[in-house]
Amino acid sequence: MFEQQKVHIEKVDEITVSPLSNKPQEFVRLLPLHEETKHRSIQRRIKPISLDEDKPEGHTRFVCISDTHARHRDLIYNVPDGDVLLHCGDFTNLGKLEEVIDFNDWLATLPHKHKIVIAGNHDLSFDPRLMEDIRKTKREGGYRRFQFLDQISEKYTDDWQSVLSNCTYIQDTELKVNGIRIYGTAWNPWFGGWAFNMKRGQPLLDKWNKIPGDGIDILMTHSPPAGQLDVVQPRSERVGCVELMNTVQLRVQPKYHVFGHIHESYGISTDGCHTFINCTTVNKELAPSNKAVYIDFPTPEGA
Ligand code: 5GP
Ligand code: MN
Ligand code: MN
Ligand code: MN
């Protein structure tokens, strides 16, 4: 079981942009050096619940995976059963229709009663802004990367849920399962101009500001917050979002924050108040070798 939440962090109503938005490494380095932020700097690894362990009575079991990158049929570990499957994006490599259909077919083979999926930066065709851009440059005869995506019918890209018929696809939305509040969003810090890329600072904060501040239990994002499971190799550099960490620790305070994206930083950690899970399935060599991670969440009375 995860250890108890010990640290109290004072809640605020509003987050303002940090002067260190573009310097997550520096933001994390400075946290323990200031009296006002010291208590937010804890990073402790937590042991996962063994996949053989029975679900405790009165709990809802979430099975968290991410970053399968169209390798879902090559997983080294089977996805274990549970009440709810959570997938935190990068389920395709390029957002091609055939990749999405195959992922959806694979989802049908899994036993979970509920399946909740968000997109990642690799699920290109799920970003309406990017698709509009691609179609516009095609109409104007210009060159653009990813132009192969313009062959996907608007009928699908305007309504991916009709293709992803074996799960609930969410984007900037909240969902309740067994009385447990879940929020999911694909936005991630700009890196190479892929899907749901957004500039650090105010643009990303505007997206995080859509997350309700009144008791989300499980937050799903594609990318990590600055300071927890966000280290890229080979230079051990932190690339998580500063505004996302401020939002999680100070405004939203979900019990669990689940994400993927940084393949080098699979694992579970805590700041003493929240539990962070990077459940990327592929490792840094892109081998689909990481196990799913369980969350056993106490089911609220009457749910
Ligand atoms: P993906 O392309 O699947 O979204 O991410 C794969 C890898 O790209 C990550 O494991 C990480 O090594 C690298 N990466 C992704 N986003 C960033 C970023 O914002 N900065 C840096 N330096 N590397 C990133
Ligand atoms: Mn990539
Ligand atoms: Mn990925
Ligand atoms: Mn990614």
Side-chain angles (χ1 to χ4, degrees), residues 67 69 90 121-122 191 200 232 237 239 261-264:
D67 295 76
H69 283 274
D90 281 0
N121 55 309
H122 268 260
F191 188 66
R200 294 175 188 266
V232 300
E237 177 198 356
V239 300
H261 186 50
I262 300 305
H263 303 163
E264 297 91 326

Side-chain angles (χ1 to χ4, degrees), residues 228-276:
Q228 303 281 347
L229 308 168
D230 64 331
V231 174
V232 300
Q233 296 304 346
R235 289 193 298 157
S236 296
E237 177 198 356
R238 290 193 180 274
V239 300
C241 177
V242 170
E243 273 64 41
L244 182 55
M245 182 52 99
N246 285 338
T247 298
V248 165
Q249 284 187 318
L250 301 176
R251 189 180 69 79
V252 176
Q253 305 198 332
K255 293 178 191 72
Y256 293 89
H257 182 190
V258 192
F259 47 85
H261 186 50
I262 300 305
H263 303 163
E264 297 91 326
S265 288
Y266 169 81
I268 310 172
S269 69
T270 182
D271 59 3
C273 186
H274 314 94
T275 302
F276 299 90

Side-chain angles (χ1 to χ4, degrees), residues 209-221:
N209 278 343
K210 295 180 178 183
I211 309 169
D214 63 343
I216 290 296
D217 295 304
I218 301 179
L219 174 64
M220 299 170 72
T221 59

Side-chain angles (χ1 to χ4, degrees), residues 19-36:
L20 294 173
S21 280
N22 288 301
K23 296 181 176 163
Q25 176 89 9
E26 193 63 1
F27 168 79
V28 176
R29 191 183 70 79
L30 292 176
L31 275 182
L33 306 181
H34 295 290
E35 204 50 51
E36 335 66 86

Side-chain angles (χ1 to χ4, degrees), residues 16-84:
T16 50
V17 172
S18 163
L20 294 173
S21 280
N22 288 301
K23 296 181 176 163
Q25 176 89 9
E26 193 63 1
F27 168 79
V28 176
R29 191 183 70 79
L30 292 176
L31 275 182
L33 306 181
H34 295 290
E35 204 50 51
E36 335 66 86
T37 54
K38 226 159 95 175
H39 61 299
R40 297 174 51 197
S41 69
I42 297 167
Q43 301 160 24
R44 228 181 11 254
R45 286 282 181 154
I46 293 180
K47 255 183 36 195
I49 301 170
S50 157
L51 297 188
D52 301 326
E53 202 163 304
D54 289 333
K55 180 178 77 164
E57 206 176 315
H59 285 61
T60 296
R61 173 163 280 178
F62 292 83
V63 178
C64 308
I65 61 172
S66 186
D67 295 76
T68 41
H69 283 274
R71 305 283 308 275
H72 42 266
R73 297 190 190 274
D74 306 330
L75 303 191
I76 291 173
Y77 300 98
N78 288 330
V79 179
D81 195 5
D83 302 298
V84 190

Side-chain angles (χ1 to χ4, degrees), residues 198 283 297:
M198 192 53 75
N283 61 18
F297 199 100

